[in-house]
């Protein structure tokens, strides 16, 4: 706290090591398995952090509340009467905006520095002697871990780490004794739900804790539903992440999901789009599904740390590309609707280290000297030249998310999605780590001799003559708030049970989804988010993508489908017959008629990919659109229509 009363967002003050190194934010499963002292501190400190009185500005409750509900100014920032919704303070929302990624970086830094205060407190509570020394040393390099939802989970383990589903954990407590404790990563317990009357509407105040996939009748959290849904669309998600990191070179297109009529068919995806998908797939109508309350679920912070990591990776692959100034779509505490949003626009309510002005996007681009952390993939100090460093990043991306779609397909266990449905969620214990270490940039997946000999497995080489093949992608756009709530567009390839929408998320023929985090802008459930109300009035359109190639490969291998090639002459008629999509609401799961979803347009495009000798994909950047696939289907792009 400064003398002005403003809370400075410093992250964790850090001095670079002799070799230029900085502490790493590590993957959660890697932290639990290979850094047990750090993980032990995480559990104890997060529990301490969550227990802080809700009236404290740097409490878990107050920091989570910056993201949405209870829509109150934080640290006295936001009293400008021009920035209000019809029901009061309108929040700090930057979703579907050029500031989406940059705003969340100091937000995460604030959370991390508040958690770090508890880390230091806990480490110094251990009995004096070797035990305290050990934890004090571990505390020095602790950084917020991330959940990499796009990498292949360790063999034999769940797509959703058990740290998120175990009600209790075994820890070494501050008295030096090993004991069971309530798991603060599992959920946040409100104390009380409404510290001030009316903090939450009935929709959320009925839950004493954060929930995932709440039972419609009892409200009980059904965490066991998350893993099979994550696993079912993993192939498409992995390809999406790889496409974003290796083929998108424009920051605006890469970063946020606002649709622009001038964008090309190769720019419908974004990191925000993928981010939305994880909110949807892990929330299931619970807290993570709603931007108003998602930040109260502990999962939010591990999820957003991974989003920040993916941006950091992209930044270092594209160091000369940053945001393009554009008119502010809404008024905020520091800008007026129509004014240009630039790299120097204040990121309210986050005061910089001086506590006299707000951070800007330009000032938070570097994670190391600014906030004191790096990621396993962004250890630039290890490399002599920039080209060596970028080559290491590309190799890390392909290690984690697949060298190419063929290698991904060959390495995958085709039965994984089906077996995931019945997999038991095991309890997490510090004494009993997962059965196999997770894949990270520091612990890469071993490359088989077949993959070394050829970047494409021998039995699939006929599908990519001269190491070239078309990458097929479904592009989707829709009005964000058109259904007055969050909804998803699920893409299928093949038959499904049309009568059971509840089964569609785990249906074998489900390929992927675009999740639209819309909000209610009418009636008694109208959001307090001022930006969202403005966006709804402006009929804001968003876009997203669902890669198809992995699903097409699966159907080629399944000889019963008749599909034998990835080339357009075979794929186009096949998709005309087999490609379908459905729309369902987050909260109820109810199906909506695709023809009645405002602005919905589904199209199919492809681009040529060349696989190099090193297995790395090179995307041509030239996209062909096939309106004949979707013309005549509800919500489908019509022949002659602008994409």
């Amino acid at each position: 706290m400064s003398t002005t009363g403003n809370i400075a967002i410093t992250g964790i003050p850090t001095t670079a090591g002799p070799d230029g190194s900085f502490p790493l934010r590590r993957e959660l499963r890697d932290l639990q398995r290979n850094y047990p002292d750090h993980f032990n501190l995480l559990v104890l400190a997060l529990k301490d952090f969550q227990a802080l009185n809700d009236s404290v500005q740097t409490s878990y409750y107050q920091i989570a509340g910056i993201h949405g509900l209870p829509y109150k100014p934080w640290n006295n920032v936001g009293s400008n009467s021009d920035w209000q919704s019809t029901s009061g303070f309108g929040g700090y929302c930057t979703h579907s905006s050029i500031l989406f990624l940059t705003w969340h970086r100091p937000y995460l830094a604030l959370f991390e520095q508040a958690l770090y205060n508890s880390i230091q407190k806990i480490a110094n509570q251990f009995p004096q002697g070797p035990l305290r020394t050990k934890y004090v040393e571990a505390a020095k390099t602790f950084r917020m871990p991330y959940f990499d939802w796009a990498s292949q989970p360790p063999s034999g383990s769940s797509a959703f780490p058990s740290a998120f589903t175990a009600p209790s954990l075994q820890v070494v407590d501050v008295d030096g004794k090993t004991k069971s404790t309530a798991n603060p990563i599992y959920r946040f317990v409100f104390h009380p739900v409404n510290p001030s009357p009316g903090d939450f509407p009935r929709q959320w105040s009925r839950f004493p804790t954060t929930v995932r996939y709440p039972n419609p009748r009892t409200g009980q959290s059904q965490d066991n539903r998350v893993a099979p849904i994550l696993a079912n669309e993993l192939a498409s998600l992995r390809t999406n992440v790889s496409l974003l990191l290796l083929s998108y070179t424009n920051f605006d297109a890469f970063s946020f999901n606002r649709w622009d009529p001038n964008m090309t068919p190769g720019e419908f995806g974004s990191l925000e789009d993928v981010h939305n998908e994880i909110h949807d797939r892990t929330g299931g109508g619970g807290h993570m599904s709603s931007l108003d309350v998602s930040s109260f679920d502990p999962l939010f912070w591990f999820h957003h740390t991974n989003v920040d990591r993916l941006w950091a990776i992209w930044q270092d692959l594209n160091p000369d590309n940053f945001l393009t100034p554009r008119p502010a779509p809404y008024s905020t505490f520091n800008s007026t609707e129509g004014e240009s949003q630039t790299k120097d626009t204040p990121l309210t309510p986050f005061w910089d280290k001086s506590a006299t002005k707000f951070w800007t996007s330009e000032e938070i681009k570097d994670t190391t000297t600014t906030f004191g952390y790096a990621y396993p993939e962004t250890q630039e100090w290890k490399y002599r030249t920039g080209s060596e460093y970028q080559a290491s990043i590309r190799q890390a991306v392909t290690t984690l998310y697949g060298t190419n779609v063929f290698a991904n397909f060959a390495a995958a266990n085709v039965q994984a999605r089906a077996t995931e449905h019945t997999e038991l969620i095991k309890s997490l214990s510090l004494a009993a780590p997962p059965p196999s270490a997770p894949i990270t940039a520091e612990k890469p997946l071993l490359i088989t001799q077949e993959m070394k000999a050829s970047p494409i497995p021998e039995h699939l080489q006929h599908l990519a003559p001269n190491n070239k093949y078309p990458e097929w992608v479904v592009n989707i756009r829709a009005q964000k708030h058109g259904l007055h709530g969050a909804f998803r567009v699920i893409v299928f390839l093949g038959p499904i049970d049309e009568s059971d929408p509840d089964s569609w998320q785990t249906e074998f023929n489900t390929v992927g989804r675009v999740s639209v985090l819309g909000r209610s802008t009418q009636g008694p459930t109208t959001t307090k988010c001022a930006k969202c109300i403005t966006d709804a009035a402006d009929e804001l359109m968003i876009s997203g993508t669902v890669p198809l190639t992995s699903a097409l490969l699966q159907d080629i291998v399944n000889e019963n489908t008749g599909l034998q090639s990835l080339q357009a002459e075979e794929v186009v008629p096949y998709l005309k017959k087999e490609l379908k999509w459905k729309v369902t609401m987050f909260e109820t799961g109810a199906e909506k008629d695709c023809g009645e979803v405002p602005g919905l347009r589904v199209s199919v495009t492809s681009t040529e990919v060349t696989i190099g000798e090193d297995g790395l994909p090179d995307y041509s950047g030239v996209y062909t659109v096939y309106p004949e696939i979707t013309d005549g289907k509800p919500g489908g792009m019509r022949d002659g229509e602008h994409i």
Side-chain angles (χ1 to χ4, degrees):
M1 182 79 73
S2 71
T3 56
T4 64
N6 300 331
I7 297 172
I9 314 304
T10 62
I12 302 174
T14 308
T15 302
D19 59 350
S21 62
F22 285 84
L24 303 183
R25 288 179 172 176
R26 301 184 181 278
E27 214 280 337
L28 178 62
R29 289 162 290 195
D30 180 38
L31 191 79
Q32 182 258 324
R33 179 180 178 87
N34 298 304
Y35 302 89
D37 296 341
H38 292 75
F39 187 81
N40 197 80
L41 285 173
L42 168 66
V43 173
L44 295 178
L46 185 56
K47 188 175 179 181
D48 177 78
F49 181 26
Q50 291 179 354
L52 290 177
N53 189 293
D54 294 341
S55 65
V56 176
Q57 287 278 292
T58 53
S59 66
Y60 185 96
Y61 182 87
Q62 289 267 350
I63 292 175
I66 293 171
H67 199 259
L69 284 167
Y71 284 100
K72 295 180 179 179
W74 184 79
N75 200 202
N76 300 312
V77 179
S79 58
N80 189 331
S81 61
D82 292 334
W83 187 24
Q84 306 288 315
S85 69
T86 56
S87 55
F89 175 69
Y92 305 105
C93 177
T94 60
H95 299 92
S96 301
S97 125
I98 195 68
L99 304 179
F100 168 69
L101 289 178
T102 60
W103 184 89
H104 281 84
R105 180 163 285 174
Y107 187 33
L108 284 168
L110 169 62
F111 182 89
E112 187 172 49
Q113 78 184 56
L115 175 62
Y116 191 71
N117 289 337
S118 288
I119 290 279
Q120 295 295 318
K121 171 185 169 183
I122 293 296
N124 283 284
Q125 286 179 352
F126 282 91
Q128 285 191 343
L131 196 61
R132 179 184 292 186
T133 300
K134 179 174 74 167
Y135 283 109
V136 167
E137 283 301 306
K140 292 177 181 178
T141 56
F142 176 87
R143 294 297 183 270
M144 179 67 195
Y146 60 91
F147 166 37
D148 186 2
W149 22 255
S151 65
Q152 197 73 41
S155 176
S157 67
S158 170
F160 194 46
S162 51
F164 294 119
T165 61
S168 62
L169 300 172
Q170 292 292 313
V171 297
V172 179
D173 209 346
V174 293
D175 59 5
K177 297 178 181 178
T178 300
K179 60 185 70 171
S180 179
T181 190
N183 179 8
I185 305 172
Y186 174 50
R187 60 190 43 152
F188 173 61
V189 179
F190 294 96
H191 49 87
V193 176
N194 283 316
S196 298
D199 272 10
F200 293 94
R202 173 60 186 163
Q203 177 187 4
W204 299 111
S205 64
R206 66 192 181 102
F207 297 113
T209 71
T210 53
V211 294
R212 303 165 193 146
Y213 287 86
N215 183 292
R217 290 181 293 103
T218 66
Q220 189 74 23
S221 189
Q222 301 178 102
D223 297 73
N224 62 327
R225 294 194 60 185
V226 178
I229 290 171
L230 284 177
N232 201 45
E233 300 167 41
L234 183 59
S236 180
L237 176 64
R238 284 162 61 82
T239 302
N240 228 349
V241 170
S242 184
L243 272 168
L244 285 169
L245 294 177
L246 298 179
S247 74
Y248 279 55
T249 57
N250 178 279
F251 176 84
D252 296 6
F254 168 82
S255 63
F256 73 115
N257 68 350
R258 188 185 189 100
W259 178 75
D260 184 328
N262 296 317
M263 67 173 35
T264 70
E267 296 178 322
F268 269 58
S270 67
L271 187 51
E272 183 176 13
D273 168 46
V274 173
H275 144 276
N276 290 352
E277 179 182 335
I278 302 304
H279 272 280
D280 175 16
R281 292 206 279 157
T282 59
H287 289 76
M288 274 293 285
S289 299
S290 170
L291 294 179
D292 273 349
V293 293
S294 58
S295 51
F296 289 95
D297 188 330
L299 171 60
F300 173 94
W301 302 100
F302 298 86
H303 164 45
H304 265 276
T305 304
N306 193 47
V307 171
D308 182 76
R309 164 182 163 266
L310 294 174
W311 176 34
I313 290 171
W314 186 91
Q315 280 183 283
D316 286 358
L317 287 174
N318 302 273
D320 298 324
N321 199 293
F322 200 36
L323 61 83
T324 304
R326 60 184 59 215
Y330 57 98
S331 295
T332 72
F333 180 70
N334 277 298
S335 62
T336 303
E337 181 178 350
E339 288 183 353
S340 183
Q341 283 185 330
T342 72
K343 59 186 176 60
D344 299 316
T345 297
L347 301 175
T348 53
F350 307 122
W351 299 100
D352 70 4
K353 293 178 182 180
S354 73
T356 61
K357 58 186 180 66
F358 297 109
W359 285 109
T360 68
S361 299
E362 177 68 22
E363 293 169 337
I364 56 83
K365 287 167 65 176
D366 180 69
T367 70
T368 53
T369 56
T370 306
F371 293 129
Y373 68 88
Y375 292 103
E377 300 84 3
T378 62
Q379 300 179 70
E380 185 175 5
W381 58 87
K382 287 187 172 183
Y383 302 92
R384 294 173 299 174
T385 65
S387 59
E388 283 185 7
Y389 174 48
Q390 289 190 334
S392 77
I393 296 176
R394 291 189 182 90
Q395 189 59 58
V397 169
T398 54
T399 295
L400 290 166
Y401 308 118
T403 52
N404 58 71
V405 71
F406 294 96
N408 281 357
F409 182 78
N413 180 348
V414 177
Q415 299 300 319
R417 290 194 293 171
T419 57
E420 188 77 45
H421 293 195
T422 56
E423 181 181 358
L424 295 176
I425 306 299
K426 300 180 177 68
S427 295
L428 181 67
S429 168
L430 293 178
S436 179
I439 301 168
T440 69
E442 296 178 307
K443 302 174 181 61
L445 177 69
L446 293 177
I447 305 299
T448 65
Q449 289 301 314
E450 181 185 18
M451 290 169 68
K452 285 182 178 179
S454 170
I456 300 176
E458 184 176 356
H459 68 289
L460 297 175
Q461 287 179 9
H462 67 286
L463 298 174
N466 301 315
N467 284 356
K468 297 178 184 292
Y469 71 94
E471 183 77 60
W472 292 88
V473 179
V474 173
N475 284 341
I476 297 172
R477 60 178 168 93
Q479 247 186 66
K480 181 173 182 178
H481 303 288
L483 294 181
H484 299 287
F487 62 96
R488 61 183 71 89
V489 184
I490 308 177
V491 174
F492 310 93
L493 194 56
I496 60 171
D497 183 351
E498 303 266 353
S499 66
D500 185 15
D502 195 49
S503 71
W504 293 344
Q505 296 193 76
T506 51
E507 168 67 53
F508 185 75
N509 285 327
T510 297
V511 180
R513 72 184 67 195
V514 169
S515 301
V516 185
L517 300 183
R519 306 197 204 190
S520 175
T521 56
Q522 64 181 21
T525 58
T526 295
T527 182
K528 292 183 179 180
C529 171
K531 177 185 182 299
C532 303
I533 293 172
T534 299
D535 286 346
D538 292 342
E539 298 183 346
L540 169 72
M541 299 282 290
I542 59 86
S543 66
T545 55
V546 177
L548 279 175
T549 312
S550 292
L552 290 168
L553 282 174
Q554 180 174 279
D555 287 359
I556 290 172
V557 171
N558 178 7
E559 297 176 355
N560 294 328
T561 66
L563 184 64
Q564 298 181 353
S565 163
L566 288 175
Q567 302 308 310
E569 56 267 25
E570 285 206 37
V571 171
V572 169
Y574 186 74
L575 292 180
K576 287 177 68 174
K577 177 184 176 184
E578 300 294 348
L579 182 69
K580 56 179 66 72
W581 52 89
K582 298 284 187 180
V583 174
T584 61
M585 303 300 295
F586 278 22
E587 187 175 356
T588 64
E591 181 182 5
K592 290 290 183 180
D593 186 333
C594 290
E596 297 179 3
V597 178
L600 178 64
R601 280 296 178 268
V602 179
S603 57
V604 178
T605 186
S606 73
T607 187
E608 185 177 79
V609 183
T610 302
I611 303 300
E613 293 183 0
D614 57 2
L616 300 184
D618 180 29
Y619 298 90
S620 72
V622 178
Y623 284 78
T624 303
V625 182
Y626 302 89
E628 62 268 36
I629 294 173
T630 53
D631 194 359
K633 298 181 180 181
M637 179 185 173
R638 298 185 289 267
D639 192 18
E641 188 174 27
H642 178 62
I643 191 169

